[in-house]
Amino acid sequence: LFGISRSVLPPQLIYLGKISYGLYVFHVPCRELARWLLSGFRYGQWFRPLLEMAFTIVVASLSYRYFEKPFLRLKARFEFVKTR
């Protein structure tokens, strides 16, 4: 983040940076799921943003762990090219 050392940033913020693509991809489906789940709940408008955020972080974490990480490991195999 703007050249700031990783030791200064909280580990939670670093983790959110790692799963940021999943947060971007899954925020709309998680928002709609939270809206559907809380549609009949009287105080749903107060809890919905928290539920949306929780769903999005959980789904993005699972996506990162089981989908993105295997591809990142494959990428590491082909990253280094030996010179003559």
Side-chain angles (χ1 to χ4, degrees), residues 1-6:
L1 179 72
F2 304 115
I4 297 174
S5 172
R6 289 184 83 161

Side-chain angles (χ1 to χ4, degrees), residues 1-40:
L1 179 72
F2 304 115
I4 297 174
S5 172
R6 289 184 83 161
S7 62
V8 176
L9 297 172
Q12 297 86 356
L13 190 61
I14 292 171
Y15 183 71
L16 287 177
K18 284 183 180 181
I19 65 168
S20 63
Y21 181 72
L23 295 173
Y24 166 73
V25 169
F26 296 114
H27 79 277
V28 173
C30 291
R31 182 184 67 203
E32 295 303 317
L33 179 63
R35 183 179 295 166
W36 178 75
L37 286 173
L38 296 176
S39 62

